[in-house]
Amino acid sequence: MRKLTILVSLFILFISILACASYVVVVRTEPFANVYVNGIYAGISDINGFLQITLSSSGEHRITVSKSWYLVFDGLVYVSQPGQVVVYAPLSRAGSLRVYSNVYPVEVYSENRFLGKVNSVKDTVYVPEGSVYITFKASGYIPETRLLNISYLKETSVNINLIEEVLSVSLKVEPKEFSPNGDWYNDTTTFYVYLSKPAQLTINIVDINQNTVWQWSGKGKPGSNQISWDGKDIPDGDYTVKAIAQTEKESFIATDSVRIDRSHYTNTKEIILTTTFIAVGALVFMFLISSGL
């Protein structure tokens, strides 16, 4: 009984120590910079650029540091055990950039680093000081890159005229033959549609008599779009897939083929269900044996 009491006391002491243990992150950066942890304001660094933060738990935390006329630092720190972790958050000096554009919003990049988005001429974005290549992107327009000389603590203006991309569409059907017979193998097919810019997108499935047997319509985004089709209530046979993309000024059609053949039954569903049943049964049997029932 005495040993049990001692063990219980030691266990309670151990739990108390863990409860009192703290996870400390020390951020080293520029003096008087604002520091955020997981998007929540944590404080401001001192005159030497230090800020000590006590966290309530371990795990991964996002550290964000910002200061006027500096680029924002954004990084992750993983705290695995109680103690102190030092995070170095160097800030790069910056100037501000005002963008005069024929289209908004415009995303601003420097060497593939996203610097920010300007929604109108009223907005400015910080960019690194020096002679730097700045790329401007807008959805549906060809990106434009400029070499700019940026001065610390000063504003620079730039005029850009983005050229609208030509609408283009490509279509791929995968798999090109599928069997919607409920065997859990190739029961659906997917239409992969690539768009050069946003457009209204329509998918038509046309039979050999040029009748539309299935249709999907929605907003297509730039890049890859994926639309699945289960072939429900559609007879076996060969069909043409038409991807129609439209904007106010342009229209583009891409075509491919697809075949439905329900004769290929693979027993995949039965195999999966049987394997699952056996595995669950084995686990239940092992539980009963270990429990002495």
Side-chain angles (χ1 to χ4, degrees), residues 115-132:
L115 301 178
K117 179 188 291 186
V118 292
N119 296 299
S120 72
V121 71
K122 297 180 181 179
D123 298 333
T124 60
V125 61
Y126 283 139
V127 296
E129 69 169 336
S131 182
V132 292

Side-chain angles (χ1 to χ4, degrees), residues 7-289:
L7 288 175
V8 171
S9 300
L10 290 175
F11 178 75
I12 294 175
L13 178 62
F14 176 72
I15 296 298
S16 301
I17 292 174
L18 286 180
C20 296
S22 58
Y23 305 91
V24 178
V25 172
V26 177
V27 178
R28 296 187 59 180
T29 185
E30 292 290 324
F32 311 118
N34 296 303
V35 180
Y36 301 82
V37 178
N38 301 324
I40 300 175
Y41 180 71
I44 188 170
S45 58
D46 62 20
I47 193 172
N48 296 311
F50 286 84
L51 177 65
Q52 181 172 302
I53 306 167
T54 300
L55 303 175
S56 59
S57 64
S58 60
E60 187 176 76
H61 300 275
R62 180 171 294 278
I63 306 297
T64 305
V65 183
S66 66
K67 183 179 180 180
S68 295
W69 300 102
Y70 286 84
L71 296 182
V72 173
F73 171 88
D74 192 46
L76 295 174
V77 59
Y78 187 82
V79 181
S80 59
Q81 57 187 4
Q84 188 178 94
V85 176
V86 178
V87 176
Y88 295 91
L91 300 183
S92 301
R93 300 202 313 180
S96 67
L97 182 65
R98 191 176 301 275
V99 181
Y100 294 87
S101 174
N102 61 318
V103 61
Y104 294 99
V106 176
E107 295 180 345
V108 183
Y109 295 83
S110 173
E111 298 180 353
N112 295 323
R113 177 181 180 181
F114 178 66
L115 301 178
K117 179 188 291 186
V118 292
N119 296 299
S120 72
V121 71
K122 297 180 181 179
D123 298 333
T124 60
V125 61
Y126 283 139
V127 296
E129 69 169 336
S131 182
V132 292
Y133 285 99
I134 304 296
T135 299
F136 305 92
K137 298 181 180 181
S139 181
Y141 290 80
I142 300 174
E144 182 175 333
T145 300
R146 296 282 191 89
L147 179 61
L148 301 176
N149 293 313
I150 306 299
S151 299
Y152 176 54
L153 297 177
K154 293 184 179 180
E155 180 182 302
T156 300
S157 298
V158 62
N159 290 281
I160 61 172
N161 185 33
L162 298 180
I163 300 173
E164 189 173 2
E165 288 190 10
V166 176
L167 177 62
S168 62
V169 182
S170 64
L171 169 65
K172 180 182 180 182
V173 180
E174 187 66 36
K176 292 181 70 66
E177 179 178 314
F178 72 111
S179 54
N181 51 16
D183 66 351
W184 294 5
Y185 179 76
N186 278 355
D187 281 338
T188 63
T189 188
T190 302
F191 309 131
Y192 298 90
V193 184
Y194 177 85
L195 296 177
S196 61
K197 63 180 180 181
Q200 181 66 28
L201 180 61
T202 301
I203 303 293
N204 286 336
I205 307 298
V206 182
D207 64 15
I208 58 175
N209 297 316
Q210 299 305 307
N211 297 315
T212 299
V213 299
W214 186 83
Q215 185 180 77
W216 177 94
S217 184
K219 293 289 186 181
K221 68 180 187 299
S224 179
N225 298 263
Q226 298 182 22
I227 300 95
S228 295
W229 183 43
D230 60 8
K232 184 179 180 181
D233 300 327
I234 305 299
D236 287 8
D238 295 313
Y239 296 88
T240 299
V241 184
K242 294 183 178 181
I244 306 169
Q246 293 178 307
T247 65
E248 293 182 359
K249 302 177 182 179
E250 300 168 286
S251 180
F252 199 103
I253 300 178
T255 62
D256 202 346
S257 61
V258 66
R259 178 178 177 81
I260 298 178
D261 185 355
R262 292 179 173 84
S263 65
H264 300 295
Y265 196 90
T266 63
N267 294 318
T268 300
K269 178 170 68 175
E270 287 77 5
I271 294 173
I272 293 176
L273 291 176
T274 301
T275 303
T276 303
F277 177 78
I278 293 173
V280 172
L283 289 174
V284 172
F285 179 75
M286 292 177 63
F287 175 77
L288 294 176
I289 293 297

